[in-house]
Amino acid sequence: MTSTSSETRPFRVADLGTLVVLAWSGEAPDGDMPYLLAYTLGDAADGPEAASAAVERLLTDNGLPVGGDVVDGATRPSLPITMLVESGQAVLNMPQLNAQCVPPPEWLAAVGERAFAYLVFTTRPWPEAEPGKPVTPEALAEFAGAEETLTAAAHVVLPARSLRG
């Protein structure tokens, strides 16, 4: 007789592979909208599928539904993901994870105007987006706007916080 363990394997950040956060702003009817895209390169030791599963677990363990409704961080003060905007950087903080990026000036202006950013945290790996190399606007639009990316993502409106209060 063979039995399987129902014990849950502990979450390991290394299972995510390389996690990347990109910031950009886009036109909306009421002005520029600041966006953040978080994704894995799929380069975890166990491959892209394992990296994708690790991202999904990270999100669901933190109450962020993948492929579900938009989560409004302004109405959920206990949400375990926050965004700090300070010294020209955006930092995502979650239990077990901090990720940062240097957004362009127009993103900083848009988040300063709106006091929030729209986060798309996708489980879909993007191995073609190599760290340290610029992503073209066309490649970003193609990946970030793809149905496969959007339906495999948690969507969160994150209030912008700063050290100044």
Side-chain angles (χ1 to χ4, degrees):
M1 175 186 240
T2 304
S3 66
T4 58
S5 171
S6 61
E7 184 178 334
T8 303
R9 181 177 159 198
F11 178 79
R12 297 177 331 137
V13 173
D15 292 341
L16 298 171
T18 304
L19 187 71
V20 179
V21 178
L22 286 177
W24 82 97
S25 61
E27 290 181 31
D30 58 347
D32 277 352
M33 175 67 73
Y35 294 97
L36 289 173
L37 173 67
Y39 60 91
T40 177
L41 294 179
D43 59 353
D46 292 334
E49 293 80 16
S52 180
V55 171
E56 184 167 4
R57 180 170 175 198
L58 174 70
L59 295 171
T60 57
D61 284 358
N62 286 288
L64 301 173
V66 173
D69 292 333
V70 175
V71 175
D72 185 352
T75 62
R76 293 201 26 214
S78 63
L79 190 67
I81 181 170
T82 60
M83 177 183 63
L84 176 68
V85 179
E86 191 69 37
S87 301
Q89 294 192 4
V91 182
L92 292 179
N93 295 298
M94 297 178 79
Q96 304 170 315
L97 177 71
N98 293 321
Q100 65 185 30
C101 70
V102 178
E106 58 272 11
W107 185 92
L108 291 167
V111 85
E113 190 73 25
R114 291 184 181 267
F116 69 85
Y118 189 101
L119 170 67
V120 176
F121 201 141
T122 188
T123 65
R124 182 180 179 212
W126 192 14
E128 298 81 15
E130 298 177 37
K133 291 191 177 180
V135 174
T136 66
E138 297 79 20
L140 176 60
E142 185 178 322
F143 181 80
E147 186 175 343
E148 301 93 340
T149 300
L150 296 172
T151 58
H155 298 261
V156 186
V157 175
L158 277 178
R161 297 192 166 105
S162 73
L163 296 176
R164 293 188 263 302

